[in-house]
Amino acid sequence: MSDARELSGWTHVYSGKVRDLYVPATTPDDDDDWTGDPLRRSRVVLVVASDRVSAFDRVLEPAIPGKGAVLTKLTRWWLDQLPEVPNHLAYAEDDRLAGLPDVPAGVVERAMLCRTLDMFPIECVVRGYLAGGGWKEYQATGAIGGIPLPEGLSNGDRLPEPVYTPAWKAPLGEHDENISYERTIELVGETVAEQLRALSLDIFTHASEVAESRGVILADTKFEFGADRDTGIVTLADEVLTSDSSRYWDAEAYLTGATPELRMASFDKQIVRDWLAANWDQDEVEEPPTLPHEIVERTAERYRALFERLTLGL
Ligand code: ATP
Ligand code: MG
C-alpha cells in the first residue's frame, strides 16, 4: 500500500498533528553533499492541511471531511485582509518558484506554497475574552499570563483589553508550555520578542474588528512566526486565524445567550473538545474514543459556516 502522504514530485519531510510538509523531490546540484534537515535544505515548502482533527494534543479518529480545504481557504482569506503583515506565502514573481514541480491536483485546495522560514519556537497566543485555558488560569490565580485582571469575571467575559500569553512550542508529542514574556526574550532576544508581541496584538485587534463587522467574535487565537532566511524579517507563517487556531463565537448568541454554553456558540472545534471531555477519562484510558458521526458532521458544518460568515458577510 502506498503512503497516503506521498505526493508526486515532492518529498514528505514532516507531519504535525494537522499539516504535512513537503519539499521538491529534486534538489539543486550544489546541495548534493548537504546532509542536514531536508526542510531547512529547501527554500520552499508545500504546507498541506489534512482533514485530521486534534484536541487535547491528540489526533482523533475519524477525520473531519473538508476541514483541510476550509482551513486553507480561511488562512488565504485572512492573509488578504492583512496586506501590511509580511507572510510566508510564495508569490508568483518569486524566482524560487522557477522549475518547481506542480502542486498535485488532489491536494491543491489544501496546499499553500510557502517560503521555508526559520520558525521561532513560540506560539503567540492573544486572548480578547476569557475561555479555555485562560479561564482556568484566571479562576486559579486571578490573572492570565501573569497579567492581573479585574475580579469577578465570568467564563466567556470580554477582557478590558487583549492580552498576549505566549507558549513555548514543545516538540511533537509533548504539551506546549505557557511562558512569560521575559522567557520569550531569553528564547528569541528582545528585538524579536517585542516584534512578536506587537504584531500579534495588532493583527488580533484588526482581525477582531473585521470579524465583528460580520457578526462573529474572535475570542482568542494563536499565531506562529518565523524569520525570513534572506532578510531576517519576522514573517507570519503556518495557519492564520483559522477555526483550529482560534475560538470564534456567534456575536448575537453571545449577547442573548442565557448560559456560558449558549453565549459561546462556537464556530470551531469546541464541539469536539466538549464531547471528548464528557466521553474520555484520560487517566483511565490511553486512546481517545472514536468520534461519533454526528459530532464529525456538526464540526464540519461549523467550519464551513465560519468561512461563509466571514467571507460572504451575514
Ligand atoms: P507541531 O509543530 O508541534 O507538530 P502542530 O501539530 O500544530 O504542531 P502542524 O500545524 O500540523 O503542527 O504542522 C505545521 C508545522 O509546519 C508546524 O511545526 C509549523 O511551525 C511549521 N511551519 C508552518 N509554516 C512554515 C514555514 N513557512 N516554514 C517552516 N515551517 C513552517
Ligand atoms: Mg499547528
Side-chain angles (χ1 to χ4, degrees):
M1 207 179 79
S2 76
D3 184 346
R5 292 179 193 178
E6 220 168 83
L7 280 191
S8 163
W10 297 84
T11 302
H12 174 239
V13 288
Y14 178 81
S15 286
K17 289 183 285 294
V18 172
R19 264 154 282 278
D20 302 312
L21 305 189
Y22 299 82
V23 298
T26 46
T27 49
D29 293 344
D30 60 356
D31 273 354
D32 268 357
D33 54 2
W34 215 100
T35 52
D37 173 355
L39 177 56
R40 290 184 56 88
R41 170 182 186 162
S42 171
R43 310 215 320 140
V44 291
V45 55
L46 189 67
V47 177
V48 180
S50 73
D51 288 348
R52 296 191 292 276
V53 62
S54 73
F56 305 117
D57 281 334
R58 299 289 293 264
V59 178
L60 306 168
E61 294 289 341
I64 310 288
K67 175 173 174 282
V70 175
L71 295 182
T72 304
K73 284 198 291 186
L74 266 172
T75 295
R76 288 186 184 281
W77 184 82
W78 273 116
L79 290 177
D80 282 345
Q81 313 306 308
L82 301 165
E84 314 81 38
V85 181
N87 71 60
H88 68 155
L89 287 180
Y91 294 98
E93 63 274 15
D94 195 324
D95 60 10
R96 275 167 281 222
L97 300 185
L100 281 189
D102 288 338
V103 176
V107 298
V108 82
E109 276 203 306
R110 303 187 276 117
M112 298 191 309
L113 196 51
C114 301
R115 301 196 302 287
T116 311
L117 305 179
D118 291 327
M119 299 298 290
F120 301 117
I122 295 176
E123 309 234 320
C124 300
V125 178
V126 183
R127 299 170 190 276
Y129 290 73
L130 265 186
W135 165 238
K136 282 209 185 91
E137 195 182 331
Y138 173 76
Q139 282 177 294
T141 67
I144 40 179
I147 301 158
L149 293 174
E151 277 175 39
L153 296 178
S154 304
N155 193 9
D157 277 357
R158 186 177 192 147
L159 300 172
E161 57 187 350
V163 293
Y164 176 63
T165 59
W168 176 69
K169 214 171 140 36
L172 195 59
E174 291 176 38
H175 291 288
D176 297 338
E177 181 188 314
N178 290 338
I179 53 175
S180 64
Y181 176 65
E182 287 65 38
R183 178 78 187 120
T184 70
I185 296 179
E186 286 167 21
L187 287 167
V188 296
E190 189 159 12
T191 311
V192 170
E194 179 47 37
Q195 284 183 67
L196 295 180
R197 176 167 69 178
L199 273 167
S200 300
L201 287 167
D202 280 358
I203 300 169
F204 183 86
T205 302
H206 176 66
S208 304
E209 288 165 11
V210 173
E212 243 176 84
S213 74
R214 286 148 167 93
V216 178
I217 290 174
L218 171 63
D220 56 37
T221 198
K222 175 215 76 178
F223 302 109
E224 286 187 35
F225 296 87
D228 185 286
R229 288 207 208 152
D230 296 326
T231 62
I233 289 174
V234 173
T235 303
L236 183 57
D238 205 48
E239 61 182 327
V240 176
L241 293 158
T242 71
S243 25
D244 264 8
S245 63
S246 324
R247 282 193 173 81
Y248 282 105
W249 302 331
D250 182 305
E252 198 180 314
Y254 183 80
L255 288 176
T256 55
T259 63
E261 290 70 31
L262 290 173
R263 286 173 81 200
M264 294 183 269
S266 68
F267 288 102
D268 49 47
K269 60 184 176 188
Q270 195 61 36
I271 303 162
V272 172
R273 289 195 200 100
D274 289 349
W275 185 85
L276 262 196
N279 291 280
W280 181 35
D281 183 349
Q282 289 191 55
D283 300 331
E284 292 288 325
V285 186
E286 168 63 21
E287 286 303 311
T290 303
L291 300 171
H293 182 69
E294 192 230 350
I295 297 294
V296 171
E297 284 301 305
R298 272 173 54 205
T299 306
E301 189 277 322
R302 295 281 73 198
Y303 275 61
R304 289 194 298 268
L306 175 70
F307 182 73
E308 280 162 24
R309 271 281 190 104
L310 288 177
T311 63
L312 308 175
L314 290 171

